[in-house]
Amino acid sequence: MEKTIKQLIEDLNNDDEFVQEEALGLLEFRSEESLDPLIEVLSTKGTNKNIKMSSAKLLGIIGDEKAIDPLIATLKDNNKLVRREASTALSRMGDKAVDPLIAILDDDDWRVRGAAAWALGKIGDKNAIGPLKSLLDDDSGFVRTGAKFALDNIEE
């Protein structure tokens, strides 16, 4: 019996590592039909952090630009591991994510600014140099460090 997308998403929090890995693989394989449910998981209040982390990871692997805005919104999640996975997923989106990430470098939330800087550093697009330089004097050490990493990576 084939599992539904909803069942596979629930399996992302299974205690058995092999069940989790199988769910990840099947959701990636069925990416066209799993895209919207994975995006929905990110914004659903009360969703388990493991499910959110795995959903963000899968969205980064799938690479559909429809996931960029929901991933950016996830940078405000209360859980730092979820935020980190969303940032990593955005960095996997490549050029498609550059402009949306640059646009949030002035967000009020230091976590969002920092995550965007780190993601831009991993993407390595030269268009981010100017906006990243403006973060070198940010009040947050996390943001300054992310901007320095990004600039060092881009300017190599």
Side-chain angles (χ1 to χ4, degrees):
M1 178 174 114
E2 188 172 304
K3 289 188 175 185
T4 66
I5 296 297
K6 183 179 179 186
Q7 289 169 323
L8 290 171
I9 289 173
E10 289 170 8
D11 282 349
L12 296 173
N13 192 44
N14 193 293
D15 291 336
D16 185 333
E17 218 177 285
F18 295 108
V19 173
Q20 290 175 22
E21 288 298 320
E22 179 183 35
L24 281 167
L26 288 170
L27 286 164
E28 181 181 356
F29 180 72
R30 295 168 62 183
S31 62
E32 194 171 300
E33 64 182 300
S34 65
L35 179 66
D36 289 333
L38 289 169
I39 288 172
E40 187 178 330
V41 161
L42 294 181
S43 64
T44 303
K45 201 163 183 78
T47 299
N48 175 283
K49 72 174 172 62
N50 294 328
I51 293 175
K52 278 189 172 184
M53 288 170 34
S54 294
S55 295
K57 178 179 181 175
L58 281 164
L59 289 168
I61 292 168
I62 293 168
D64 191 299
E65 70 185 282
K66 183 178 183 180
I68 292 174
D69 288 340
L71 285 166
I72 285 175
T74 303
L75 296 177
K76 293 184 184 227
D77 194 272
N78 290 330
N79 186 288
K80 81 175 184 180
L81 298 175
V82 172
R83 292 191 306 269
R84 185 179 303 153
E85 201 58 61
S87 175
T88 301
L90 285 162
S91 73
R92 290 183 183 135
M93 297 283 189
D95 294 344
K96 301 179 272 197
V98 171
D99 289 338
L101 285 167
I102 289 173
I104 61 169
L105 288 176
D106 63 355
D107 194 277
D108 292 338
D109 189 331
W110 62 269
R111 298 173 299 185
V112 173
R113 293 191 309 276
W118 285 95
L120 285 165
K122 290 179 186 175
I123 294 171
D125 190 296
K126 292 189 183 304
N127 291 323
I129 292 174
L132 285 166
K133 283 184 177 179
S134 70
L135 296 180
L136 293 174
D137 294 324
D138 197 273
D139 292 339
S140 166
F142 176 68
V143 174
R144 289 191 307 272
T145 303
K148 174 100 174 75
F149 159 80
L151 289 166
D152 288 349
N153 193 48
I154 294 169
E155 294 175 337
E156 284 185 341

